[in-house]
């Protein structure tokens, strides 16, 4: 099967309603260009700062959720809706909702690994001061096979990708908001490494670069199971169209049969005894 992705690298503005409205024509354009699945960035309609997370938060089924569902149904396209702050009781989650071609919710991924980091000469940020971590592996079924979802900092944990691959994922979609320091150092490396580790396609979508507050890296990127870069954006708003030949997943696994060798009894860990 061939699956065509539209990676929508957009820049959020302070007006949440405007940002959500701006996403609609881009999703429509993706469908018109033959994309099967449109992907938005992490916090696509919320500036990436603590002070905005709760004021911009909505529950599942709220206005942002409904707008994404409507866009999927109206354009008959799968939508991986980036993330927005999801309100559940008093808790806030950094959540990605996925909608099928009929606008039905197909998946919900709450970011598992929160971004708590103090980067030398870069940002100091603790998502856990505001957000609650999720705890569930997320995959959804499509006509192309199973697709996995994770969010931003989740990509630094290869075991998550190995679990999704073992569960049948052909590709993993990663809405993210890497900053200009860690992005320049690690973004491409992580996407290529996770694709090679788990022998599947990866596609990461970041916001376009802004000049104030938390500075996003941009550079939305897609990689093959062989670790090849299939497409990469720059800093500015852009839509990347990426064709994924999912047969390459099985071809790669046939050429490099790594998974049969990943046995719990393979290694003699005598130093632990």
């Amino acid at each position: 099967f061939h699956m065509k992705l539209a990676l929508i690298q957009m820049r959020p503005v302070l007006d949440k309603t405007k940002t959500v409205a701006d996403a609609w024509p881009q999703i429509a354009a993706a469908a018109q260009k033959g994309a099967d699945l449109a992907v938005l960035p992490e916090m696509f309609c919320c500036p990436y700062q603590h002070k905005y997370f709760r004021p911009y938060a909505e529950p599942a089924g709220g206005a942002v959720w409904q707008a994404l569902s409507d866009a999927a149904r109206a354009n008959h396209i799968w939508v991986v809706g980036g993330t927005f702050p999801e309100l559940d009781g008093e808790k806030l989650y950094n959540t990605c909702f996925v909608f099928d071609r009929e606008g039905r919710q197909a998946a919900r991924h709450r970011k598992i690994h929160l971004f708590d980091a103090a980067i030398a000469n870069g940002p100091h940020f603790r998502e856990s001061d505001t957000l609650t971590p999720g705890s569930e592996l997320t995959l959804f079924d499509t006509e192309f096979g199973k697709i996995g979802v994770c969010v931003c900092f989740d990509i630094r944990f290869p075991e998550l990708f190995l679990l999704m691959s073992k569960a049948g994922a052909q590709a993993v979609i990663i809405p993210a908001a890497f900053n200009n320091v860690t992005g320049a150092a690690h973004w491409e490396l992580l996407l290529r490494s996770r694709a090679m580790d788990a022998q599947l396609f990866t596609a990461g979508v970041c916001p376009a670069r802004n000049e104030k507050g938390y500075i996003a890296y941009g550079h939305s990127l897609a990689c093959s199971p062989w670790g090849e870069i299939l497409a990469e954006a720059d800093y500015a708003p852009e839509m990347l169209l990426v064709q994924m030949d999912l047969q390459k997943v099985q071809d790669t696994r046939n050429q490099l049969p790594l998974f049969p060798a990943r046995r719990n009894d393979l290694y003699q860990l005598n130093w632990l005894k």
Side-chain angles (χ1 to χ4, degrees):
F1 286 103
H2 287 76
M3 179 174 66
K4 192 173 185 179
L5 268 61
L7 312 185
I8 300 172
Q9 181 170 290
M10 58 185 294
R11 182 182 293 123
V13 297
L14 286 176
D15 185 339
K16 179 176 69 172
T17 302
K18 183 180 186 308
T19 306
V20 174
D22 288 346
W24 182 291
Q26 298 198 61
I27 293 169
Q32 290 165 8
K33 293 177 180 179
D36 299 295
L37 194 151
V39 188
L40 300 174
E42 182 182 20
M43 292 293 177
F44 85 97
C45 60
C46 176
Y48 195 80
Q49 296 180 46
H50 285 295
K51 65 182 180 180
Y52 294 113
F53 290 162
R54 190 164 290 274
Y56 280 59
E58 294 185 5
V64 176
W65 184 100
Q66 192 62 58
L68 295 172
S69 170
D70 290 346
R73 183 178 63 256
N75 295 288
H76 198 60
I77 188 173
W78 286 87
V79 172
V80 178
T83 77
F84 64 86
E86 179 205 0
L87 184 63
D88 186 355
E90 289 302 310
K91 292 182 178 180
L92 287 180
Y93 296 92
N94 189 348
T95 304
C96 175
F97 289 97
V98 180
F99 300 91
D100 68 14
R101 296 182 189 270
E102 302 304 320
R104 296 170 297 209
Q105 181 180 312
R108 177 186 67 185
H109 180 72
R110 290 170 166 171
K111 187 175 183 178
I112 298 170
H113 303 94
L114 299 182
F115 180 56
D116 287 0
I119 308 301
N121 301 315
H124 290 213
F125 204 92
R126 286 181 53 83
E127 279 191 326
S128 62
D129 287 346
T130 311
L131 302 172
T132 298
S135 59
E136 296 181 357
L137 196 71
T138 304
L139 297 99
F140 60 97
D141 289 307
T142 74
E143 62 267 38
F144 308 102
K146 290 185 183 294
I147 308 296
V149 182
C150 69
V151 173
C152 202
F153 207 61
D154 287 337
I155 198 175
R156 292 189 180 272
F157 298 84
E159 60 271 27
L160 185 63
F161 284 72
L162 294 176
L163 287 168
M164 286 189 280
S165 185
K166 288 183 176 181
Q170 305 291 297
V172 177
I173 311 298
I174 308 109
F178 266 59
N179 61 73
N180 62 329
V181 177
T182 58
H186 299 148
W187 176 240
E188 176 190 320
L189 177 64
L190 285 165
L191 280 157
R192 295 182 69 193
S193 296
R194 295 297 86 83
M196 292 175 63
D197 290 342
Q199 297 181 307
L200 42 64
F201 287 91
T202 57
V205 186
C206 276
R209 184 166 181 164
N210 55 301
E211 298 302 330
K212 294 181 180 179
Y214 182 94
I215 300 175
Y217 182 57
H219 287 272
S220 297
L221 183 69
C223 297
S224 78
W226 198 253
E228 305 158 298
I229 296 174
L230 301 176
E232 182 176 6
D234 203 330
Y235 293 105
E238 182 178 351
M239 180 189 296
L240 286 180
L241 294 172
V242 184
Q243 189 82 20
M244 293 182 173
D245 179 359
L246 298 179
Q247 180 58 42
K248 289 187 178 180
V249 174
Q250 193 57 51
D251 291 345
T252 300
R253 294 176 183 181
N254 288 341
Q255 293 175 68
L256 294 171
L258 303 183
F259 280 87
R262 287 181 169 130
R263 303 199 324 263
N264 293 333
D265 62 345
L266 184 63
Y267 306 106
Q268 296 297 318
L269 301 180
N270 294 320
W271 60 274
L272 286 175
K273 297 178 181 178

